[in-house]
Structure formats: C-alpha cells, structure tokens
Amino acid sequence: MSSPSRKQGWDLHERMMSQDPTVTLDVFLTFMGPLIRALERNPGCSYDEANACASDAVYAYLRHPERFDARRASLSTFLTQIARHKAQDSYRSSTARTRREQDPRSIFEVHPPAPNISLEERVDLKQRLDRLVQRIEGAGLPERDLAGIRVIFTEERCSMESMAEALGLLHLPQEEMRQAVRRHTDRLKKVLKRLCKEDPDDES
Amino acid sequence: MTNLDWLKRAAKRSTTEPGLLGQVFATYQTLEHCSLEALADELGCDEQTLQMLALCRKPAGEAFAEQVKVICERFGLAPRPLVNMLRQVDIMGGMETHAANDSGRSVARLQLAARDRKRKDEPTP
C-alpha cells in the first residue's frame, strides 16, 4: 500500500477543521498503516514501538490540528516527522537505559589482553582502564556521547550501524547518517584521546 | 478487511482522550458497570465497529443531531441508543464531576479552616 497523497491529506485536514465527527477515525485509517510501516523500516524499532509512536503522532495531530501548516509539508510528511521523533525519543531512552546497565569495564572481558603478558602488566592495564572509565564518567558527557564511546570501546571494528544506533541517528537517510557517524566518531575519539592524556601514569 | 492490528490499542487509548467517543464509552462503562460486549450490544454493533466508533469525535453543540446522524449512517446504527448514551454520560458524568469538585472544595475548605485554627492557636508575638 502506498503512502497517502498530498490531496488525501489536505482533504482530511479540511474535514478536521470542520465539525465532521468521523474524520478522526479516517485520519487513523489513512495514516496508521503507512506510519507503522515507515517506522518499522528503522532497525531496532519493533512493531509494538512503531504502533505506539504512530498512535502518538496521530493523537498529537488530533489534539492540535491547527499546528499543521499545509504550505510547508503534506500531512503525511508532518505525521511521519512527529512519529519519527517519538520513535527516536523512545529509542534513545531505551538505549540509554540499556547502556546505563552496561559497564564499559566489560571491555576487559570482551577483549582480554594478550595471554603472554605478565600478571603485573595485566593488573596495570586493568587499573589504567579503570582510571580511564572514571574520567569518562566524570567528564559530564551527554548520554549519547557515552553510548558512542561504549561502542568504540566494546566493538573491535566499530560498525556504522551500531554507532548510528548508539547515537540515535538511525532515522537519517543513509548518506547523511554515514557522514554524521563519521563526524561523531572522530569527535569522540578526540575526546577519548584527551582523557587518556590526562592520566599521569599513561605514557602512551 | 485491511489489517487493523493497531485499532484495538488506539481505541483503548481513546478512553482518556477528551472529545472522542472512546471517553464517552469509558465513562458509560464505569457508570453502568458494563463490559465492552454489553456496550457493543447496546449500540447494536460488533466489537470492531465499537473500536472504530471510539475514534470518532463526540457529537456536541449545535451540530449534535447532524453529527449523530453522520456517525449512525456510516456504521449502520440506530441513533437512539447512541443519543441515550451520550445524554446519560453528559448528565451523570457531569454530576460526578460536580460531586468530585464539591468534595475537592470541601477538602480545601477544611484545609483552610485547619490553617486558620492553627494561626489562631499560635501564640501572638
């Protein structure tokens, strides 16, 4: 099923501004399916989340139809934008929760040091990592940056998808997302480098 | 029928949305202690139609009669049960709100009285 046309959206909006009692149902019938499908295309967005966010978007419009400006976008685009923002917010809060529950120190278990290093070196490595984690946690970085840093830490080859997921950039078009991920990764690596240099015992 | 998986949830949510029939149905259910099936029976429709009805605007104001007519024509319903339901919710729901407000005012009056008494009891400097 294709997404509703601009004309369909305009007709519905005109009815919304009148006293038509069944138009609210028609807005749901016209847009819920396409909105859910559009949201479900984003990796990490389940059907349940898509359903809830699409419903949020339609209810937001029903409460304040006057906020829609037909000169700026079609009703379909308007609702899709609201639904995507809702999905993004919901994704960010659930990602933040998951990430909060994970400790970057787990890198030691994910990427154990080479087996031929001595016990002293191993302990030293662990202590340096602990100090770095403390500095990262104390740097007052926004949750999004912390999520990105965790990806850099825990993934041997930090993939674009996992970085985009952590930074909440999955809603962007592919090329825009690639550029944003690269920009943020470079920035976060610089932050990490600076924090590493702050360790007086770190000679690297 | 197209895939309407979302309908049940959207209708459930409409029970807290002012201005939608879903909220009227929820109030009626509370007043009459009736199930969704009983509500659908009373209106003369099935549950899916009831969910669709819940997402329609509540008829109100000068266009009330016309709006009821439009809704009933669309879903093939007799207008009388819907009108009765709307009237009952308007009257009884309104009375309940009044009662709630009155009890709220009483509580506020009691709190003010308690505060006054406390002030009177306080030693004067």
Side-chain angles (χ1 to χ4, degrees), chain B residues 7-33:
Chain B
L7 181 59
K8 195 174 176 181
R9 283 199 229 180
K12 198 171 175 187
R13 192 166 155 182
S14 70
T15 57
T16 55
E17 286 291 325
L20 291 189
L21 275 178
Q23 200 196 28
V24 174
F25 295 156
T27 312
Y28 186 79
Q29 275 190 278
T30 312
L31 291 171
E32 292 294 309
H33 306 287

Side-chain angles (χ1 to χ4, degrees), chain A residues 41-199:
Chain A
R41 277 199 288 271
N42 292 332
C45 187
S46 66
Y47 175 80
D48 279 353
E49 279 165 334
N51 191 339
C53 295
S55 180
D56 278 347
V58 173
Y59 272 115
Y61 169 64
L62 298 189
R63 275 183 228 122
H64 297 287
E66 73 285 353
R67 288 185 187 164
F68 166 64
D69 183 352
R71 289 165 303 178
R72 297 175 74 185
S74 68
L75 187 54
S76 179
T77 307
F78 178 74
L79 290 173
T80 307
Q81 274 176 353
I82 301 176
R84 284 209 168 120
H85 280 300
K86 300 271 179 193
Q88 208 179 325
D89 288 348
S90 146
Y91 180 79
R92 267 192 202 146
S93 54
S94 74
T95 307
R97 194 172 50 247
T98 312
R99 300 278 173 182
R100 264 198 305 276
E101 287 159 9
Q102 293 171 357
D103 188 336
R105 288 175 183 85
S106 60
I107 188 179
F108 214 69
E109 283 75 46
V110 178
H111 304 298
N116 58 350
I117 67 166
S118 70
L119 186 62
E120 287 77 19
E121 283 174 314
R122 197 184 165 86
V123 170
D124 179 52
L125 207 59
K126 178 88 171 71
Q127 284 172 346
R128 275 162 58 180
L129 178 65
D130 283 348
R131 285 199 297 273
L132 178 59
V133 168
Q134 278 170 9
R135 281 198 303 283
I136 292 170
E137 285 173 347
L141 298 171
E143 186 54 46
R144 192 168 88 145
D145 286 1
L146 290 175
I149 287 174
R150 284 188 191 103
V151 173
I152 296 174
F153 256 98
T154 51
E155 293 197 12
E156 207 159 355
R157 291 186 65 194
C158 152
S159 72
M160 184 181 74
E161 283 74 22
S162 33
M163 201 59 176
E165 192 182 335
L167 296 169
L169 301 170
L170 285 173
H171 63 287
L172 294 176
Q174 194 71 3
E175 184 52 31
E176 215 176 304
M177 177 171 83
R178 203 176 56 77
Q179 286 174 3
V181 164
R182 192 187 296 163
R183 201 171 56 245
H184 281 290
T185 309
D186 289 348
R187 180 177 60 80
L188 292 175
K189 281 182 177 168
K190 277 181 194 160
V191 171
L192 272 176
K193 211 169 171 178
R194 179 173 55 78
L195 289 168
C196 281
K197 277 182 185 165
E198 284 174 12
D199 190 346

Side-chain angles (χ1 to χ4, degrees), chain A residues 5-17:
Chain A
S5 66
R6 186 175 272 266
K7 166 95 173 55
Q8 267 177 293
W10 175 244
D11 289 345
L12 281 168
H13 183 63
E14 267 199 332
R15 285 174 60 203
M16 271 301 292
M17 302 313 280

Side-chain angles (χ1 to χ4, degrees), chain B residues 10-115:
Chain B
K12 198 171 175 187
R13 192 166 155 182
S14 70
T15 57
T16 55
E17 286 291 325
L20 291 189
L21 275 178
Q23 200 196 28
V24 174
F25 295 156
T27 312
Y28 186 79
Q29 275 190 278
T30 312
L31 291 171
E32 292 294 309
H33 306 287
C34 68
S35 65
L36 279 175
E37 294 81 22
L39 189 68
D41 272 353
E42 206 164 326
L43 288 168
C45 64
D46 58 23
E47 271 197 61
Q48 193 179 61
T49 306
L50 184 68
Q51 288 162 356
M52 290 195 185
L53 274 169
L55 298 177
C56 291
R57 275 176 177 155
K58 174 191 166 188
E62 285 178 10
F64 180 88
E66 179 57 27
Q67 289 176 330
V68 168
K69 192 175 156 210
V70 169
I71 293 172
C72 291
E73 276 178 4
R74 174 147 178 184
F75 295 101
L77 304 175
R80 190 178 291 270
L82 180 62
V83 170
N84 287 345
M85 210 172 274
L86 286 163
R87 295 282 185 230
Q88 188 171 337
V89 167
D90 263 353
I91 297 165
M92 299 299 288
M95 278 168 71
E96 290 222 326
T97 314
H98 268 298
N101 287 345
D102 282 349
S103 79
R105 273 197 289 272
S106 306
V107 170
R109 273 200 297 270
L110 273 175
Q111 284 169 341
L112 281 173
R115 209 167 59 192

